[in-house]
């Protein structure tokens, strides 16, 4: 799909329908990080850093068009191409939903589940490091509690964004270096989880851990699990949400195991892992529909 310039500060990001803005709006609303992100019914905005450049962008659905409007801060113009690629991945604009739905159509359980409502796209993070921090912070606590703790990290360690107007996000997410060297006493996490978070930040900061999925999500999961305190769920969730990896699958996730689809008894992680083999290479999309089945939203 072509991304056609509309003005010198706005781009039109096209996609193949269907596409559901409200699905993304609900996802971001539950996880919104004050200072870094802003959200209303028809607009999402956030700060970002790519290399040495920091700025902000905003995304809105375009009425009566199969496209999103992308606006950005003046400091971001030199990074337009890189920014567009990241935003397209974040909002899953290039997914072929018809192909994915056809892949699941013959599955005795997923087929009827998908037939009951429109296909879902995979919301992903803008910044994989930020998503990994959120996943580690969120181990064994609610989404709301994780957002509260992550907001404290931003307030302590996030830099102020220089080019942001008053109605845009004002702070940047902390860098790996800032998190690695910070005093995180009284941040609201158990000591072991603080150690896990800072070991992760150190590994990213010094290059010992490469955060990418160029060699596949399984390899990223393997690298992550070499760090103490990062188990299968955290690693798989980072691959799924941090990169939008289409075949990532956190089989130990409670929402997946307790989805009504499985009946009252649910399913074990090992059983689900085996069952999910039939859903490759789109297991992440299967997870989306199971989460939807679990939450009813």
């Amino acid at each position: 799909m072509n991304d056609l310039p509309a003005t010198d500060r706005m781009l039109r990001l096209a996609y193949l329908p269907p596409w559901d803005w409200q699905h993304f709006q609900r996802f971001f609303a539950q996880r919104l990080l004050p200072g870094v992100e802003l959200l209303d019914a028809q607009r999402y905005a956030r700060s970002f850093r790519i290399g040495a450049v920091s700025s902000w962008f905003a995304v809105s659905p375009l009425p009566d068009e199969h496209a999103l409007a992308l606006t950005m801060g003046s400091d971001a113009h030199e990074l337009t191409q890189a920014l567009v690629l990241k935003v397209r991945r974040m909002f899953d604009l290039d997914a072929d939903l018809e192909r994915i739905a056809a892949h699941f159509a013959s599955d005795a359980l997923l087929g009827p589940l998908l037939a009951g409502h429109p296909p879902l796209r995979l919301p992903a993070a803008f910044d994989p490091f930020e998503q990994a921090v959120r996943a580690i912070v969120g181990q064994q606590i609610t989404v709301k509690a994780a957002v509260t703790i992550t907001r404290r990290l931003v307030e302590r360690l996030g830099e102020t964004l220089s080019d942001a107007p008053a109605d845009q996000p004002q702070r940047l997410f902390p860098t790996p270096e800032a998190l690695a060297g910070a005093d995180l006493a009284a941040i609201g996490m158990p000591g072991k989880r603080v150690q896990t978070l800072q070991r992760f930040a150190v590994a990213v900061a010094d290059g010992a851990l490469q955060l990418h999925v160029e060699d596949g999500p399984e390899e990223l999961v393997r690298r992550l699990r070499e760090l103490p305190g990062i188990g299968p769920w955290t690693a798989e969730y980072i691959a799924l949400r941090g990169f939008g990896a289409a075949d990532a699958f956190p089989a130990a996730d409670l929402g997946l195991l307790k989805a009504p689809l499985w009946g009252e008894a649910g399913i074990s992680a090992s059983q689900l892992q085996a069952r999910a083999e039939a859903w490759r290479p789109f297991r992440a999309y299967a997870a989306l529909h199971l989460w939807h089945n679990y939450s009813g939203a």
Side-chain angles (χ1 to χ4, degrees), residues 274-295:
R275 183 73 176 77
E277 286 300 306
W279 303 334
R280 289 182 182 273
F282 299 120
R283 292 183 303 167
Y285 291 90
L288 281 181
H289 287 277
L290 291 175
W291 278 322
H292 185 276
N293 181 239
Y294 176 71
S295 67

Side-chain angles (χ1 to χ4, degrees), residues 206-229:
D206 66 17
L209 174 64
Q210 298 296 314
L211 277 180
H212 64 76
V213 289
E214 294 170 7
D215 46 5
E218 289 87 356
E219 275 302 302
L220 173 62
V221 168
R222 183 193 62 78
R223 290 194 297 272
L224 288 166
R225 291 192 62 189
E226 289 178 349
L227 293 176

Side-chain angles (χ1 to χ4, degrees), residues 48-221:
F48 73 90
R49 181 188 288 106
I50 298 178
V53 177
S54 301
S55 191
W56 60 270
F57 72 84
V59 172
S60 301
L62 286 169
D64 304 318
E65 292 191 56
H66 300 313
L68 303 181
L70 170 66
T71 56
M72 66 192 80
S74 57
D75 288 352
H77 290 180
E78 64 186 275
L79 296 170
T80 297
Q81 185 174 4
L83 179 61
V84 165
L85 289 174
K86 283 179 169 287
V87 172
R88 293 194 69 87
R89 183 191 67 190
M90 185 179 185
F91 289 87
D92 202 17
L93 297 183
D94 297 311
D96 184 342
L97 295 189
E98 288 189 8
R99 180 187 173 206
I100 294 168
H103 180 71
F104 296 134
S106 61
D107 189 277
L109 292 173
L110 278 188
L113 189 65
L114 268 70
H117 57 78
L120 298 173
R121 292 180 188 264
L122 178 60
F126 181 84
D127 176 25
F129 173 75
E130 177 184 324
Q131 179 57 59
V133 170
R134 289 182 180 232
I136 293 168
V137 169
Q139 290 173 346
Q140 300 179 333
I141 61 175
T142 65
V143 172
K144 183 177 179 180
V147 170
T148 297
I149 295 170
T150 310
R151 174 179 52 79
R152 292 172 188 156
L153 293 174
V154 170
E155 290 170 351
R156 287 195 193 186
L157 305 170
E159 301 168 26
T160 301
L161 189 59
S162 60
D163 77 332
D167 61 345
Q168 300 298 345
Q170 299 296 311
R171 298 185 76 83
L172 291 158
F173 194 81
T175 64
E177 292 78 9
L179 274 171
D183 178 1
L184 297 183
I187 201 69
M189 287 195 297
K192 286 188 176 180
R193 197 171 306 148
V194 170
Q195 291 174 7
T196 296
L197 178 60
Q198 294 198 289
R199 276 193 296 255
F200 167 76
V202 167
V204 174
D206 66 17
L209 174 64
Q210 298 296 314
L211 277 180
H212 64 76
V213 289
E214 294 170 7
D215 46 5
E218 289 87 356
E219 275 302 302
L220 173 62
V221 168

